[in-house]
Amino acid sequence: MGISKEEILSLLRGMLRIRCLEETLAERYQEQEMQTPTHFSIGQEATAVGVCSALEQQDVIYSGHRCHAHYLAKGGPLLGLVGELYGREVGCARGRGGSVHLTDAGSGVIASSAILGQTIAVAVGSAWAFSLDHSRRVAVAFFGDGAVEEGIFHESLNFAALHKVPVLFVCENNLYSTHSSLAVRQPAGIQIYERARAYSLPSRQVDGNDVAAVFQATREAVEWCRSGRGPYFLEGLTYRWREHVGPLWDYDAGYRTKAEVEEWMARCPIKRLSEQLLRDGLCSEGELRRWREEIQQEIAHAIVVAKSSPFPSVQCLLEGTY
Amino acid sequence: MRRLKYWQAISEATVQCMEGDPNILIAGIGVDDHKGMFGTTRGAFQRFGRSRVFDIPNCENAMAGIAIGAAAVGKRPLVVHPRNDFMFLAMDQIFNLAAKWKYMYGTQAGVPVVFRGIVGRGWGQGATHSQSLQATFAHFPGLHVAAPASPADAKGLLVSALQGSTPVVLLENRALYELEGDVAEAPTPIPFGQGRIIREGNDITIVGASLMAYEADRAADILGEKGIRAEVIDPRSMRPLDERIILDSLRKTGHLVVADTSWAAYGFAAEVAAVAAEKGFAFLKAPVRRITLPDCPAPVSEPLEKAFHPSPMTIVQACLEVLQSEVSSVRGLRDVQERFTGPY
Ligand SMILES: Cc1ncc(C[n+]2csc(CCOP(=O)(O)OP(=O)(O)O)c2C)c(N)n1
């Protein structure tokens, strides 16, 4: 299946929107008004956009602590995210959950969670329910290379394979878990996607910074899941630019080199695709500029609305526990 | 005596114990990184390197079992969790095995595994990163559970843990790491089950551990300005609990306020209140008061978070009410967390 011009432009715009928002948020975060530990996805937009663009509205996704891009790519409202970071009642979790608990039932973002690996099983559960109902819906579990080490990852793959549930596992391998490289966490000589095969899952590794490749691979994967053949595993190789949690750069922390970060920045998924589209004459500089302006306006507006909207009332502290 | 910060005291205890016992190993996510678990494992890594200080995969459940297995054949693993909340994943191994090992297998030797868990709070740490699990851990016989409040106690209790034969859970509130205090040079153990009188007084007893011992002491300052002399007791360990020190104080004051960083139901404050009701009923001149968290998960939004965590002023207010004091307007006190700014 080829990708139409419309599709490729929409992939680019989707990534650009996430990048612009996160860069703005990272800047504003330093004003100390967003009091919630925040894991930025800057540099990793292609997996989120590539995967979610190949889903239907009725499909559902789950994510972990680094969930902004997934939420936005699946259609979560921008104000819901911005409001959540500012701890406002307009936030998608009404200011209760913070950056790591994004949710938007309307667009199929069921839950994100800061406990590593937690939602992998939950995605399997939703997929199981879909298969019990003979529904065509698919559930996606987004997680990082770090979550693969948790027992729940293996238990979930085993169950999903056994019951042939329509779940797509998407591992965003950004090479690090906090400050620990893959080499000190997982045995050499076998890739993450290869391990899924031990549970009889079809699995593929894609360039996670190539949004078109991710999109294509996901279309095939989702087709597999929808047709009742069971789960599918995708590993996207990508890279986190900023520090693990927080808005800053961490060149000097010592766990990775500046050269490595720059090498990956050169492979920026947005730069790469926009250059290609310009070269191929599929879009123009003017169009890109206009997109950016529109997006910046949307972001500025969301920030103004979020900041001028009320905090949850302290009287309602207990509300919602039961 | 030198003054050390809380994190430095932990680091020093670790290094000294490791020097004294080659079987001690450290394992935990990021124990060897530039942050070194708030600096607490930095010294050990610099001194002993990768042969004894292990960064681990994200595998809380298995790691607890791995530590137990290593302990079963002579090692002394010290497992560190950046948040005690991640220890939920390790609870089967801790409760169903480590805590029961000695009894269930009828052996002389227990498994001397030590778990350190950090309690986060503030800056929107939220529902799953700011819980205080002392009551959860202390529920189970077979474990020692402590939550030190001062640098000296942090050192002494860790030394005790690393020298004993019982599995231990130590909880450290993140807000305490920068706190400074006198710490002895020698690695002298502080036995579990021995509380500490932080300040003496005759009017009311305030019991609190970890951050709440610190906050209770600050509350006592304010009460002192109003002529109320509070006795502040830090039990230091939850299991075993030094009931004697609490009852002796109660005999003197007849009034009890218990402050905790977790929920009331079935919690640490409930346990202390039960000790007072069962064994100190005759001393009580007023109902016991518990200061605990509101019955909801920790919210992120700043005003909610502020209302969620008890402050020293909550303790002051509760003491005044228990004493039915006429004094009501007292000066305010900044929350300990207000010193903490982002980015996280
Ligand atoms: C059960 C559990 N253990 C540890 C942590 C602490 N932690 C939060 S994020 C993270 C790194 C995860 O790495 P990865 O899954 O690769 O995702 P990335 O941060 O790279 O996106 C760790 C160790 C946690 N949140 N939950």
Side-chain angles (χ1 to χ4, degrees):
Chain A
M1 260 183 298
I3 302 183
S4 69
K5 176 183 169 186
E6 207 173 47
E7 280 167 342
I8 196 82
L9 290 179
S10 149
L11 291 172
L12 179 60
R13 198 178 194 284
M15 291 196 295
L16 197 60
R17 182 164 174 265
I18 294 169
R19 173 69 58 87
C20 290
L21 175 65
E22 285 218 303
E23 283 187 335
T24 306
L25 291 176
E27 209 177 299
R28 306 291 298 253
Y29 193 86
Q30 294 169 59
E31 298 166 353
Q32 316 249 331
E33 285 182 47
M34 298 173 220
Q35 302 201 358
T36 168
T38 297
H39 309 76
F40 290 97
S41 312
I42 298 170
Q44 303 189 192
E45 298 86 354
T47 7
V49 172
V51 169
C52 291
S53 304
L55 301 176
E56 290 173 16
Q57 151 95 26
Q58 52 162 15
D59 296 329
V60 301
I61 67 161
Y62 288 89
S63 181
H65 53 287
R66 202 174 304 287
C67 52
H68 296 184
H70 305 143
Y71 167 93
L72 290 170
K74 186 66 173 69
L78 200 116
L79 180 60
L81 166 55
V82 175
E84 195 56 33
L85 293 185
Y86 278 105
R88 300 310 211 272
E89 193 70 51
V90 289
C92 61
R94 303 180 57 208
R96 271 65 168 182
S99 158
V100 293
H101 293 116
L102 300 185
T103 173
D104 181 58
S107 56
V109 183
I110 308 282
S112 334
S113 146
I115 297 296
L116 226 48
Q118 198 176 54
T119 52
I120 302 176
V122 188
V124 171
S126 293
W128 187 35
F130 295 155
S131 73
L132 294 175
D133 290 345
H134 307 290
S135 141
R136 287 186 68 257
R137 299 168 77 185
V138 168
V140 177
F142 282 106
F143 51 90
D145 48 287
V148 167
E149 294 145 23
E150 295 284 0
I152 195 166
F153 167 82
H154 302 273
E155 297 174 35
S156 302
L157 260 64
N158 185 61
F159 189 98
L162 182 70
H163 285 277
K164 290 198 185 316
V165 307
V167 61
L168 171 61
F169 298 102
V170 180
C171 177
E172 275 173 282
N173 181 353
N174 63 10
L175 310 178
Y176 292 91
S177 169
T178 317
H179 310 122
S180 306
S181 73
L182 261 180
V184 302
R185 297 181 289 115
Q186 297 180 23
I190 180 159
Q191 306 273 319
I192 289 172
Y193 78 99
E194 290 173 327
R195 275 179 247 166
R197 293 190 181 153
Y199 296 100
S200 79
L201 264 63
S203 80
R204 275 182 66 182
Q205 191 179 59
V206 289
D207 178 348
N209 279 10
D210 179 345
V211 72
V214 176
F215 177 68
Q216 296 264 42
T218 307
R219 275 212 295 218
E220 287 170 36
V222 167
E223 174 54 34
W224 171 278
C225 296
R226 262 196 233 297
S227 65
R229 278 176 287 178
Y232 197 102
F233 194 99
L234 275 184
E235 175 185 4
L237 295 178
T238 183
Y239 200 79
R240 145 175 75 74
W241 292 8
R242 305 277 174 124
E243 56 186 336
H244 165 70
V245 53
L248 307 175
W249 301 91
D250 64 356
Y251 293 128
D252 46 4
Y255 71 93
R256 56 183 189 176
T257 62
K258 189 169 184 196
E260 184 184 280
V261 181
E262 284 170 350
E263 192 184 308
W264 276 94
M265 286 175 69
R267 283 184 245 169
C268 170
I270 296 170
K271 182 166 160 274
R272 213 159 116 179
L273 182 60
S274 47
E275 281 173 1
Q276 186 199 319
L277 296 187
L278 287 171
R279 223 183 303 118
D280 298 347
L282 288 175
C283 75
S284 66
E285 292 279 7
E287 211 166 354
L288 287 178
R289 204 173 322 112
R290 188 166 49 75
W291 280 0
R292 276 185 194 277
E293 282 165 14
E294 285 167 10
I295 290 167
Q296 293 297 2
Q297 263 176 27
E298 185 195 11
I299 293 168
H301 180 68
I303 291 178
V304 168
V305 174
K307 286 181 65 163
S308 62
S309 71
F311 281 110
S313 151
V314 172
Q315 274 69 48
C316 303
L317 178 62
L318 299 180
E319 195 182 89
T321 306
Y322 291 99
Chain B
M1 218 55 104
R2 311 107 340 125
R3 292 186 67 77
L4 289 186
K5 290 186 171 175
Y6 188 95
W7 68 265
Q8 291 169 322
I10 293 171
S11 173
E12 183 173 272
T14 311
V15 172
Q16 287 174 337
C17 289
M18 289 177 80
E19 275 167 350
D21 182 349
N23 283 317
I24 297 174
L25 310 168
I26 301 181
I29 294 171
V31 289
D32 64 347
D33 72 14
H34 58 288
K35 296 194 173 165
M37 215 54 83
F38 296 88
T40 59
T41 56
R42 197 82 202 118
F45 180 63
Q46 278 162 358
R47 175 87 175 69
F48 304 104
R50 297 222 148 77
S51 62
R52 292 180 68 188
V53 179
F54 298 90
D55 186 16
I56 60 166
N58 302 307
C59 57
E60 292 81 3
N61 185 3
M63 193 62 231
I66 291 162
I68 293 168
V73 295
K75 296 292 182 198
R76 281 184 170 277
L78 167 59
V79 182
V80 190
H81 291 277
R83 286 290 178 282
N84 73 157
D85 315 67
F86 308 156
M87 293 172 73
F88 278 120
L89 279 71
M91 285 197 179
D92 167 58
Q93 294 285 350
I94 296 175
F95 294 146
N96 276 334
L97 198 57
K100 298 176 173 49
W101 190 281
K102 197 168 170 193
Y103 187 91
M104 194 166 72
Y105 296 119
T107 63
Q108 288 302 308
V111 276
V113 249
V114 181
F115 298 94
R116 286 179 44 211
I118 294 165
V119 175
R121 180 188 142 174
W123 202 262
Q125 285 283 306
T128 65
H129 279 53
S130 55
Q131 298 167 100
S132 280
L133 302 181
Q134 57 274 16
T136 310
F137 287 114
H139 186 63
F140 292 83
L143 295 177
H144 284 163
V145 181
S150 73
D153 290 350
K155 177 167 181 182
L157 287 162
L158 180 54
V159 170
S160 216
L162 290 172
Q163 292 179 349
S165 60
T166 303
V168 176
V169 174
L170 293 172
L171 299 180
E172 300 155 12
N173 197 297
R174 182 174 80 163
L176 295 171
Y177 278 123
E178 290 299 316
L179 196 78
E180 231 177 52
D182 292 338
V183 180
E185 203 112 17
T188 310
I190 293 172
F192 294 103
Q194 207 174 85
R196 173 170 74 106
I197 300 172
I198 295 185
R199 81 161 70 193
E200 298 197 38
N202 289 317
D203 296 329
I204 187 163
T205 302
I206 313 175
V207 175
S210 185
L211 181 61
M212 281 300 136
Y214 175 75
E215 298 290 49
D217 196 37
R218 298 207 299 152
D221 275 339
I222 302 237
L223 291 165
E225 290 168 14
K226 300 289 153 191
I228 295 166
R229 286 153 308 145
E231 179 147 297
V232 179
I233 304 281
D234 174 7
R236 298 197 285 204
S237 55
M238 285 77 217
R239 181 184 273 274
L241 178 65
D242 187 348
E243 299 183 352
R244 182 86 340 248
I245 202 171
I246 296 166
L247 292 168
D248 284 348
S249 179
L250 205 49
R251 188 194 313 270
K252 225 171 29 172
T253 67
H255 297 93
L256 177 61
V257 166
V258 194
D260 189 22
T261 50
S262 190
W263 294 285
Y266 311 98
F268 166 73
E271 184 61 27
V272 173
V275 168
E278 255 178 14
K279 301 177 186 170
F281 190 70
F283 311 141
L284 284 173
K285 296 179 191 147
V288 176
R289 174 68 80 83
R290 288 181 284 172
I291 295 167
T292 52
L293 298 179
D295 246 337
C296 62
V300 163
S301 182
E302 198 212 336
L304 294 185
E305 186 178 55
K306 211 166 178 172
F308 182 75
H309 294 290
S311 78
M313 295 318 296
T314 327
I315 303 177
V316 169
Q317 208 49 51
C319 288
L320 294 177
E321 285 165 23
V322 167
L323 291 168
Q324 294 188 301
S325 168
E326 298 301 309
V327 184
S328 59
S329 67
V330 285
R331 76 180 165 90
L333 201 55
R334 278 159 64 88
D335 188 83
V336 63
Q337 217 42 64
E338 278 174 38
R339 281 181 282 126
F340 186 85
T341 56
Y344 333 116

